[in-house]
Amino acid sequence: MPLLHIDDDGFLLDGKPFRLISGGLHYFRVHPDQWADRLRKARLMGLNTVETYVPWNLHEPRPGELRMDGGADLPAFLGLAAEEGLYVLLRPGPYICAEWEGGGLPSWLLADQDIRLRSQDPRYLAAVDRYFARLLPPLLPHLSTRGGPVLAVQVENEFGAWSDDTTHLEHLAESLRRCGVDVPLFTCDQPADLERGTLPGTLATANFGSRSLPNLAALRARQTSGPLMCTEFWIGWFDRWGAHHVVRDAAQAAQELDELLGAGASVNFYMFHGGTNFGFTNGANDKHTYRPTVTSYDYDAPLDEAGDPTEKFTAFRDVIAKYAAVPAEPVPARAGKLAPATVTLTESASLLAAAPALGTAVHTARPLTMEQLGQDFGFVLYETVLSAAGPALLEVEQVRDRAQVFVDGVPAGTLERENHEHSLAFVAPRAGAVLGLLVENQGRVNYGPGIHDRKGLVGDVRLDGAVLDGWVCRPLPLTDLDDVPFTSTTATPVGPAFHRGTFTLTEPADTFLHLDGWGKGNAWINGFALGRHWSRGPQRSLYVPGPVLRRGVNEIIVLELHAAPRARTVELRDRADLGPTEE
């Protein structure tokens, strides 16, 4: 592979002027069997490069446990990019933001109660250095200096929005170099943060989605020579629960792109293909109010969530063709989808009753957080015994993020972090009644000072002003549902419950799971965690990748946290519904 060089006048690739025309494509948001398809479509739009973050919490879910298989097989992804003739910009963090759970930082870091993330805290630095020492060796053969596609590697991510501690960036850059990274390094920041986030001797790049000329001028003012590059050219946006589906006009975005390329700059679209926050991997924002991100990461990108070209694909390709050679092949057609079908979920199981089969109880005086329990995602069921009957006031210091309250298994109410709720009145039917709180991690904060986001019950829990002691804390990560005791029933269980059904296919293909009439919860097909559903919207369907399905019988499981519709049916349809847009 050719080598990238940073010259005073721009990028050089093997000594010849070169412009990066890149697009974001996160391997961890795409089923691995679909990586090759998405990479081919990147080349067909005219891209010469793809960009990806690397989420630490995916690759090191537990300290010292490096994962590099299945959907985490980054070397395989890099190999496929090379086969397609694409270069790669690699962004290994350790912090990535990306609307990903915790900004990619593993939850186990937060088991240390006073650790300071993204800082010179020796505990954090030691964990980062150990991670890089494990992650990077398998990636070194894929650097362009070793014949691979990776042209450049990013140091941290938008650090100027967090701190001005250049010493920290220097440490990270030295750690990358010590582990064998010998391609050019770069930083990225929003224009207003460039002064705080740049690292002397390292290429600075900027992130923006409009006003290209003024923003490039701000970058040039900070960096008087070298290439101009927008590392995140925002051509869409992400969605949060309770808001609308965000879209951006294709013609307007293409005009901004034309202006940027006309100025001679390099570009990386954020995103070329967004993909999906499968399972529990979505992040959240907290600017005084907690706002979790939805499952879909469609991002109104040139490829939609299912990998089909959108209006932006053609609009951007037409602009790119003014500045670079574009393949003569036609725009790829929309991939085939399953024919619409209705699936009845005929079996059910109460989550509360199934809890002992899904997690091991830990007995403690006070509630433990998820991180103290060694848990990443999912739920924790907290239970304690009430000493008296009658009216009572429950007060929880911090709910992270949503607690359903039960008395002897009967729903008593819900406390939501998003609504700043901390107290709930109920009536205990008897002395010795069991108070239960089922607490959901709705996504750790991925941006800003809120990233120290511990989950579960944080702080004291009081009843009528007195601290409650004597708790059973049961982690429910829901990574394996094989032991859920399903039974056939026509009755709808009270409270949170799993519901299961099957459907038969002659030939798998992509589809979209619609849960009209359902409330809130999660869904799995053939054991693959699709993500969260919530009637709050805007998202109203879940993307089902074709490779998840199989010929013959397929299983679907829906966890409903409140009340399933009486018919207990779901729909497989050939179109997504990401919700209403703002006019």
Side-chain angles (χ1 to χ4, degrees):
M1 280 280 183
L3 300 181
L4 186 71
H5 178 71
I6 297 172
D7 188 67
D8 285 346
D9 297 324
F11 289 117
L12 298 175
L13 198 64
D14 272 3
K16 299 178 181 178
F18 179 70
R19 187 205 301 259
L20 284 155
I21 302 178
S22 177
L25 175 53
H26 298 160
Y27 61 97
F28 47 91
R29 284 185 160 120
V30 180
H31 192 285
D33 289 355
Q34 296 173 324
W35 289 345
D37 172 78
R38 307 313 193 244
L39 289 164
R40 181 180 67 87
K41 290 170 179 172
R43 178 181 60 79
L44 292 181
M45 198 179 82
L47 303 185
N48 56 32
T49 306
V50 292
E51 164 271 319
T52 185
Y53 282 124
V54 181
W56 183 358
N57 54 7
L58 174 70
H59 289 284
E60 194 177 18
R62 302 257 61 83
E65 179 187 316
L66 182 68
R67 183 187 167 207
M68 205 78 87
D69 62 341
D73 193 347
L74 177 53
F77 177 81
L78 297 176
L80 289 171
E83 289 177 14
E84 196 60 52
L86 293 166
Y87 302 115
V88 175
L89 296 175
L90 197 65
R91 306 170 77 188
Y95 163 81
I96 65 171
C97 185
E99 292 73 59
W100 185 258
E101 226 268 355
L105 299 175
S107 64
W108 48 261
L109 289 170
L110 297 174
D112 195 328
Q113 289 302 299
D114 62 348
I115 193 169
R116 291 175 293 112
L117 305 176
R118 303 182 73 190
S119 79
Q120 289 298 96
D121 186 325
R123 295 162 295 182
Y124 177 69
L125 293 180
V128 171
D129 290 345
R130 288 191 297 267
Y131 167 58
F132 277 171
R134 296 184 184 99
L135 172 78
L136 293 170
L139 305 182
L140 296 181
H142 299 276
L143 300 180
S144 59
T145 48
R146 322 288 174 91
V150 178
L151 293 180
V153 171
Q154 182 174 294
V155 182
E156 237 269 357
N157 186 67
E158 291 193 330
F159 189 71
W162 172 263
S163 171
D164 61 358
D165 186 359
T166 304
T167 302
H168 184 60
L169 291 179
E170 289 173 345
H171 180 99
L172 296 179
E174 289 168 3
S175 186
L176 291 168
R177 293 300 193 202
R178 188 167 55 249
C179 291
V181 174
D182 55 1
V183 296
L185 301 179
F186 65 98
T187 59
C188 77
D189 288 281
Q190 297 180 42
D193 301 321
L194 283 166
E195 184 175 355
R196 290 161 49 91
T198 53
L199 178 62
T202 301
L203 178 68
T205 70
N207 299 343
F208 52 84
S210 60
R211 303 180 65 250
S212 295
L213 295 182
N215 285 320
L216 291 174
L219 177 59
R220 178 56 75 217
R222 179 64 189 168
Q223 185 169 255
T224 56
S225 65
L228 290 171
M229 179 164 176
C230 179
T231 293
E232 292 187 16
F233 181 62
W234 303 319
I235 52 81
W237 206 246
F238 59 93
D239 294 345
R240 67 171 179 85
W241 292 112
H244 60 275
H245 173 47
V246 181
V247 297
R248 183 179 182 187
D249 180 71
Q252 190 268 337
Q255 181 180 344
E256 291 283 355
L257 172 63
D258 200 355
E259 184 176 282
L260 188 151
L261 294 179
S266 288
V267 66
N268 176 67
F269 301 112
Y270 198 94
M271 298 288 296
F272 164 68
H273 172 50
T276 307
N277 298 312
F278 291 117
F280 298 98
T281 59
N282 66 276
N285 284 275
D286 191 350
K287 298 177 181 178
H288 308 296
T289 297
Y290 174 79
R291 304 292 193 194
T293 304
V294 305
T295 293
S296 171
Y297 203 65
D298 177 88
Y299 220 87
D300 194 33
L303 289 190
D304 67 16
E305 187 176 9
D308 292 321
T310 68
E311 184 182 359
K312 283 180 180 167
F313 187 100
T314 302
F316 287 0
R317 190 169 79 157
D318 289 345
V319 172
I320 292 169
K322 295 170 61 176
Y323 302 93
V326 170
E329 300 166 62
V331 174
R334 185 174 186 266
K337 305 294 186 289
L338 290 184
T342 299
V343 181
T344 301
L345 309 186
T346 58
E347 300 175 293
S348 298
S350 163
L351 182 148
L352 299 182
L358 296 172
T360 301
V362 178
H363 297 263
T364 61
R366 302 288 176 87
L368 298 180
T369 65
M370 275 193 178
E371 294 73 24
Q372 291 170 323
L373 290 166
Q375 181 181 357
D376 299 314
F377 314 129
F379 300 76
V380 178
L381 178 60
Y382 298 92
E383 293 181 314
T384 190
V385 176
L386 301 176
S387 60
L393 178 65
L394 175 70
E395 296 175 285
V396 181
E397 188 172 333
Q398 294 184 71
V399 176
R400 301 284 184 85
D401 300 306
R402 192 173 187 268
Q404 293 174 251
V405 182
F406 305 90
V407 181
D408 278 347
V410 178
T414 302
L415 298 173
E416 292 193 343
R417 174 183 181 183
E418 192 169 357
N419 294 331
H420 306 280
E421 296 170 341
H422 299 274
S423 60
L424 179 72
F426 65 89
V427 177
R430 60 184 179 88
V434 175
L435 173 68
L437 290 89
L438 179 66
V439 182
E440 177 186 4
N441 166 9
Q442 293 190 116
R444 288 184 179 84
V445 171
N446 57 257
Y447 185 81
I451 61 172
H452 296 80
D453 190 13
R454 295 170 177 87
K455 296 301 189 182
L457 297 180
V458 180
D460 289 333
V461 179
R462 297 176 182 270
L463 193 70
D464 294 331
V467 174
L468 278 173
D469 289 324
W471 289 87
V472 177
C473 310
R474 191 181 300 274
L476 302 174
L478 304 188
T479 52
D480 185 349
L481 304 183
D482 288 346
D483 293 328
V484 175
F486 286 101
T487 57
S488 297
T489 177
T490 57
T492 301
V494 175
F498 298 97
H499 304 274
R500 182 171 68 177
T502 61
F503 58 98
T504 301
L505 296 176
T506 56
E507 190 65 37
D510 284 0
T511 187
F512 300 92
L513 177 66
H514 291 249
L515 295 112
D516 300 352
W518 295 76
K520 187 181 193 304
N522 303 75
W524 296 258
I525 287 187
N526 295 332
F528 183 89
L530 298 177
R532 309 176 199 260
H533 66 89
W534 199 354
S535 59
R536 179 176 291 184
Q539 181 173 357
R540 295 170 178 169
S541 64
L542 291 171
Y543 171 57
V544 182
V548 167
L549 302 173
R550 56 196 177 214
R551 293 184 180 89
V553 177
N554 293 261
E555 175 194 68
I556 178 168
I557 295 176
V558 175
L559 169 61
E560 171 54 53
L561 295 172
H562 295 284
R566 185 178 298 275
R568 296 214 300 273
T569 60
V570 298
E571 301 285 335
L572 298 175
R573 301 178 188 164
D574 60 0
R575 298 280 176 178
D577 184 352
L578 298 181
T581 60
E582 186 176 57
E583 296 299 333

